[in-house]
Structures are given as C-alpha cells and as structure tokens.
Amino acid sequence: MSASLDPEDWDAFRAQCHVAVDDMVDWWQQVRERPVWRPVPDSIKAALTGPVPRAPCDLAEVYRRFGELVLPYPTGNTHPGFMGWVHGSGTPTGALAEFLAAGLNPNLGGREHAPIYVERQVVDWSRQIMGMPEGSSGVLVGGTSMATLIGLATARHAHAGGDARRDGLQGRAVPLVGYASREAHSCVAKAFELLGLGRDCLRLIPVDGEHRLRLSDLRDAITADRTAGRQPFCVVGAAGTVNTGAIDDLAAMADLCRDERLWFHVDAAFGGLAVLVPEIAPRLAGMERADSLAFDFHKWLHVPYEAGCILIRDEAVHRAAFALRPDYLAAAERGLAGGNPWPCEYGVDLSRGFRALKVWFTLQTFGLDRLGRAIAANCDQARWLAARVAAEPELELLGPASLNIVCFRFRDAPADALDRLNAAIVVELHERGIAAPSTTQIEGRLAIRACLCNHRTEERDLEALLAGVLALGRAQRRASR
Ligand SMILES: *Cc1c(COP(=O)(O)O)cnc(C)c1O
C-alpha cells in the first residue's frame, strides 16, 4: 500500500518542469518589457478566495492558474524601475539554488549532513565580509528583523544578570534601557516589545544634519538613566538607515560601548554590504567591533527572499541565550544526530530551510568583487540622481543622499499642497507602471524616496523616474488650481 505523493508519470512531470523553467527564463529576460507594477484586478483577488480543494487537480492546470493569477502581478522588485523601500532584486542564479534547496528538502535545525556545513561556511564567509573575529557565531534567519531580535535577546541575556531565561524580567526592580537613533528601523522597537523590555525603554536619540546619531545626546541619555537608577545595556548603531542611508559614527559608538560596558548591536541590514565598495568601506569602520550584527542577503546581495543573518562576537553567550536541548533533540557523537552545535541553539527556529544554499550559490557564482560593483553602481546612481534633482528648479532634495537613497519632492506648488501632491505622484508612478519609488517623511515633509538597491537599474530608469515626477507634478499642479 502506498500513499506516495510523487508523480505517477515522471516523464510528464519532467516535461512540466521544463516548461516552467523555460517560462521563467523568458520572464526574466523580458522583465524590462513589462510595467514595474500593475494593480491586482478585483477579479483576480476574487479568484484567489474560495474553499480549500478536496479533490486533486492536474499540475498543468495549477500551473496555468499560477500563470493567470499570480505571475502578472508581482511586487515588481525584479524590474529595473523598482526603487521603493529596500528591496533586493533577486537573481536567476539564486532562484535556481532555491529550487535545488527545496528539492533536497533538508532540515537545517541541526544534525549531521552537508547542508549544515554549507550554512556554517556561509556564516563564516559573512563573518569575514563584515570583519568580525574568527570564532564569532551566527545563524541564517528570515531577515534583519529576526536577526535583531536574536541579537538583542543575546544582549539581554548577557546583561540581565541572574537567570533571565528562567525568571524573565518580571521581578526586576531596575529596568534595562537601550539606545538607538531616531532614524533606527522599527524592528529595533519591535524587538524591545517582544523581549519584554518595553518600547519606552528604547531611547531614540536625536540625529545631526547628516541623519547620524548625535553622540553627545547619547552620552547625556546614558548618564541620565544611570542617575535615575536604570540600567543601560545596549546601543544600536545604524550602518545605513532606512530613510536616508545614513551611517552612524560606528567607531565612536564602539568606543563608548567599550567604556560604558554596553552591548553594541549594529543594524547593517543593507548598508553593511557597502563594505564591499573600497571607497565606502572606511565609513563603516567600527562595524566590525559589534557584539551583534544583523544584515540581509536579500537586499543588497540580491539573494532571493528571504535570507538574513545574525553574527555574534561571543559564541558562548550566543549559545547560552538560546540553547535548549530536550531529550528528543539529544546530541550524539556519531550518526545523524551528530553535527554539533546545531543551528537551533543559536536562534528561535527549530525547523529551518536551506536558505544557505542560495547564498552559497550567489557568493560563489558572482564573487565579492562583482557583487561590490553592483553596490557601487547603485551609489553612483544615487549621486547622479541627486545632482539631477538639484539641477531641476521644480524639484528639491530632502536630506542628504549619502549612500544609495535619494529623498526629494516636486516643490513647484503651494506649500500646504506639497505632501498630498507628492504622495499622488508616487501612486500614479506605480499605477502607470513607470517607476516604483516609495515615500517617507523627512523632517515632517513627505518625500519621494528612491532607494537604489537593484542591479538591473540603469540611467534610463532614473530618467524615466524624473520625467514621470515632473510630468505628473505639473499635471497635479494644474488639477489643483
Ligand atoms: C529592511 C531593514 C530592516 C528589516 O529587515 P527585514 O529583512 O525586512 O526584516 C532593518 N533595518 C534596516 C535598516 C532595513 O533596511
């Protein structure tokens, strides 16, 4: 008796796979011919509801539905005109590796098998890229949000005293407080919430004109908290903020953390990878002194979603913060239950996919120099775009374009209409499929935010963005008169 879910007709299955691969390769090759994004029609949304299927359906028919309902309406981040939020653009190479990883279907929670050694190699390569010392530990996660949670949980474990894992923080008389700049990503506040520290115990420190954490304010805040009987425990530095790409003075923050005996966490989500650009690397000095460092492969290394990483300087503290090995996860010297330590001892997840394989393929296939050149190209494009904006009387720059992000707006309209007008420009750019920037607030003003994190973007895509903003801005201005 068999309940196997394998194909009944392997030849037919093989043929279907070939069709899917051919279609996908065409889709990648023709990416530029499509709009960046298009709205998902109501009919498609309706077709994506309904009862759970009880009876089987031909693979070919399900694949047809994918082609009709899903394929035409993606996020758009594979398109050269995508420049919103901080989205990586993926690579066909990474997608191929993802197929292989799913085919092999290993569980990277632990045990003794080659995929575990691939992940260890990827973690060690990451450590080398970021300049952290040999012996640092790390684990692959879904993204920088989870990496930040793990980094700060390790910091909490290291600084809470007693047995915070057993006792929690409920009985503490002295609150633990941490510090980040006002430009810090929301995942830091979320980690504070989830760790039972409370969001108010994350002090958001003002920034300077370059949007970098102001060190004198940080020192004052630490002193004030100590004086009030609270316990400062960690400082979060930004290696590339999400709004403007600002890089905090990480070396000075590392010095301060050493002197004050605080945990130094660096959010290097995308910007940390700019260490691969020789001209930018010096601005990241101090990053390598982090106690914990979180970053993403799925942003500026273009590994397909999702893949992030947490690196921790002190392996013993890292493991002490997370290891939990009940009987059913007991280690063995030999056999399949070997392979210690297991990745599940360094994080939250027990069952874990083979994310490492697409990173392993990406790093080998392209090599660091070429990946670095793609990052450098985006930084060049940001400078070019900022200069073009500055030269257009109807446009203005909002904030510095220090890395790969340009925040600007159409300004040739009444001041009280500008936020609404620029928001409308961005929606129109999306809906017409011209370009896909996002928006943010810069000092209380709505900005069109172009984040260049895309190896497919070319000058003509930036031209299309500028032409679109100008044309739509003029049209909006006329309409509002
Ligand atoms: C994207 C981002 C994050 C969150 O990372 P995810 O991978 O989306 O979880 C944190 N910090 C910065 C600076 C980011 O750009």
Side-chain angles (χ1 to χ4, degrees), residues 67 83-84 89 94 201 386 413:
M83 44 192 88
S89 36
C201 283

Side-chain angles (χ1 to χ4, degrees), residues 29-274:
Q29 278 191 309
Q30 294 156 8
V31 67
R32 187 176 270 288
E33 293 159 30
R34 293 184 295 268
V36 182
W37 178 82
R38 64 183 100 179
V40 186
D42 287 341
S43 60
I44 298 289
K45 291 180 190 170
L48 289 169
T49 62
V52 59
R54 191 151 293 276
C57 175
D58 264 355
L59 176 60
E61 169 55 19
V62 178
Y63 181 71
R64 191 199 62 73
R65 290 177 197 165
F66 166 77
E68 178 194 337
L69 304 177
V70 184
L71 191 63
Y73 311 104
T75 319
N77 53 318
T78 52
H79 191 284
F82 192 95
M83 44 192 88
W85 300 275
V86 191
H87 281 24
S89 36
T91 65
T93 302
L96 172 63
E98 191 75 317
F99 169 74
L100 302 175
L104 215 53
N105 193 31
N107 185 336
L108 276 279
R111 290 159 284 263
E112 171 75 3
H113 49 118
I116 287 283
Y117 293 90
V118 171
E119 175 156 343
R120 283 196 195 146
Q121 181 163 44
V122 165
V123 167
D124 194 58
W125 284 345
S126 303
R127 173 194 73 70
Q128 293 176 38
I129 290 170
M130 296 301 178
M132 290 193 43
E134 228 172 298
S136 303
S137 49
V139 70
L140 267 56
V141 290
T144 291
S145 298
M146 179 56 99
T148 300
L149 181 67
I150 292 174
L152 295 181
T154 309
R156 185 188 72 166
H157 182 76
H159 283 260
D163 189 344
R165 289 187 64 180
R166 187 191 60 217
D167 303 333
L169 301 176
Q170 316 252 34
R172 277 183 75 89
V174 179
L176 293 165
V177 290
Y179 309 84
S181 93
R182 279 191 188 152
E183 294 290 310
H185 192 275
S186 58
C187 73
V188 181
K190 206 182 260 189
F192 268 65
E193 293 172 5
L194 290 171
L195 291 169
L197 298 162
R199 202 175 55 229
D200 280 354
C201 283
L202 175 65
R203 313 285 192 231
L204 295 180
I205 307 297
V207 293
D208 64 17
E210 306 266 87
H211 292 214
R212 304 175 345 146
L213 177 140
R214 234 202 266 275
L215 278 161
S216 55
D217 286 326
L218 174 59
R219 279 196 206 90
D220 291 349
I222 292 170
T223 305
D225 278 320
R226 289 209 202 281
T227 306
R230 293 181 282 260
Q231 184 189 336
F233 83 107
C234 82
V235 173
V236 178
T241 60
V242 63
N243 268 340
T244 65
I247 300 170
D248 286 337
D249 187 344
L250 301 172
M253 291 169 83
D255 286 346
L256 183 144
C257 286
R258 179 199 57 210
D259 296 345
E260 297 275 348
R261 296 183 174 279
L262 303 176
W263 186 275
F264 184 36
H265 176 83
V266 174
D267 177 352
F270 66 98
L273 273 318

